[in-house]
Amino acid sequence: MAFSSQHGGNIIEAAAVMGVDANTLIDFSANINPLGMPDSLKRAITENLVLAERYPDVEYRALHQALANHHKIPQEWVLAGNGETELIFNLVQQLSPRKALLLTPGFAEYRRALARVGCEITDFHLSEEQGWQPEASLLSALSSDLDCLFLCTPNNPTGLLLDRSLLLAVAQRCRENNIALIVDEAFLDFIPDEPGLIPHLSNFPRLYVLRSLTKFFAIAGLRLGYLVSADTVTVGRIREQREPWTINAFAALAGEVILNDSTYIEASHHWLSNEQPRLFNALNALPGITVWPPRANYIFLRCDIEGVDLQRALLEKNILIRHCANYPGLDVRYYRVAIKSPADNDKLLEALRQVLSHKDGAGE
Ligand SMILES: Cc1ncc(COP(=O)(O)O)c(C=O)c1O
């Protein structure tokens, strides 16, 4: 049986394919901070279990205030959701674009959300020759018949940050051509002192920035994300029209607590500043593997050894990585691995060395 999950983190399916207990797998396929949920949040949840017994504030006032304070923006610009994914769908539903441009490879849910509203999608292919980065040709692709452009920075799965001056030129061009620009900054918190586009929102009335808290704060199961935009009409309409109480009380509490946990934030940046170059350099040194320098907590790679299914071979060693063959524009040679704890990263490296040396030497 093939293992072909659309997303990372599907350890249940992978374990079923291998006939092993999901708890025995080390999951490198979902990009979650290995420091785990912040202690400040664990404490807040256990001290507030009573919240489970009542409805959350349907307006989530304290949560929205906390997010607005964090970014120093008006509260009406912010809308939290049950993970960023909910807001991708809410926003696309509200904007109902007729023609959208997507960069490939990219996160799958933009396409699903656009397909749901019957939007015509044009792909803008990123190429390996251009280092998987869009160049100025993206600007000329932004014609006035487009309604919507999705960008992701750092991009998933490539892990690359978009060039800031190109990003601003794209925003400018979108403003001139009245194109809604949706920028996914789900992984930006992993890069210290990287403000992203939120400080520019007031210059671009049709710019929508999406953020996720599930990766950096390791709350993928609790779920929390948010949308920020100076387009208070669109934000307000989504707020009025969406289903009530989609964010559970503990996720709402998380948003009030974790952004103030500077100890956790610093520890996370410290971990990544060590493990990101270490894992990158070690992968780079492996025969038959090409890696792209990561900016976030995951690494994009290509395996050039004919006939090696790296995901399958590693699964046999109880390690799950993300294959990228189902991203438009990629093929079976491409994979993505999360950066995890030093001990787990060592296990990945050791397993890879075994898989690759076996292939090199034994001539099987
Ligand atoms: C680029 C990107 N954006 C958004 C999301 C969704 O985040 P959330 O867990 O907040 O729904 C993901 C999840 O993998 C992602 O990779």
Side-chain angles (χ1 to χ4, degrees), residues 55-67 75 78-82 86 224 239 242-253 256:
Y55 283 98
D57 171 14
V58 73
E59 305 276 343
Y60 299 102
R61 275 165 277 227
L63 169 62
H64 287 128
Q65 192 60 60
L67 295 170
Q75 206 177 316
V78 187
L79 188 64
N82 180 26
E86 181 183 39
L224 189 63
R239 188 180 282 124
R242 69 177 180 168
E243 298 88 341
W245 309 299
T246 59
I247 307 166
N248 74 74
F250 302 122
L253 181 64
E256 294 165 43

Side-chain angles (χ1 to χ4, degrees), residues 265-335:
I265 294 169
E266 276 164 30
S268 301
H269 288 152
H270 180 70
W271 148 74
L272 195 58
S273 69
N274 289 323
E275 285 307 293
Q276 190 189 59
R278 190 177 79 87
L279 187 58
F280 171 75
N281 289 329
L283 290 170
N284 208 16
L286 292 174
I289 299 284
T290 302
V291 265
W292 282 269
R295 294 302 307 273
N297 62 329
Y298 52 94
I299 300 181
F300 182 54
L301 59 95
R302 195 187 66 215
C303 174
D304 289 323
I305 303 176
E306 192 100 355
V308 172
D309 178 344
L310 218 47
Q311 186 191 51
R312 186 81 202 190
L314 289 171
L315 256 183
E316 278 162 20
K317 299 181 181 302
N318 284 357
I319 286 177
L320 174 61
I321 66 170
R322 172 74 158 98
H323 77 73
C324 294
N326 57 354
Y327 281 91
L330 298 182
D331 59 48
V332 291
R333 297 170 300 155
Y334 295 93
Y335 300 90

Side-chain angles (χ1 to χ4, degrees), residues 132-150:
W132 303 111
Q133 286 284 28
E135 298 189 339
S137 59
L138 176 59
L139 292 173
S140 29
L142 298 173
S143 49
S144 57
D145 60 331
L146 272 183
D147 300 311
C148 175
L149 168 68
F150 265 96

Side-chain angles (χ1 to χ4, degrees), residues 207-224:
L207 168 62
Y208 307 88
V209 175
L210 292 162
R211 290 280 186 116
S212 170
L213 296 172
T214 67
K215 293 117 191 348
F216 187 83
F217 293 100
I219 52 167
L222 195 58
R223 322 248 349 101
L224 189 63

Side-chain angles (χ1 to χ4, degrees), residues 11 70 76 85 107 115 136 141 148 177 205 246 269 272 289 312 357:
I11 54 168
H70 179 68
E76 318 81 79
T85 304
F107 184 51
C148 175
N177 283 347
T246 59
H269 288 152
L272 195 58
I289 299 284
R312 186 81 202 190
S357 66

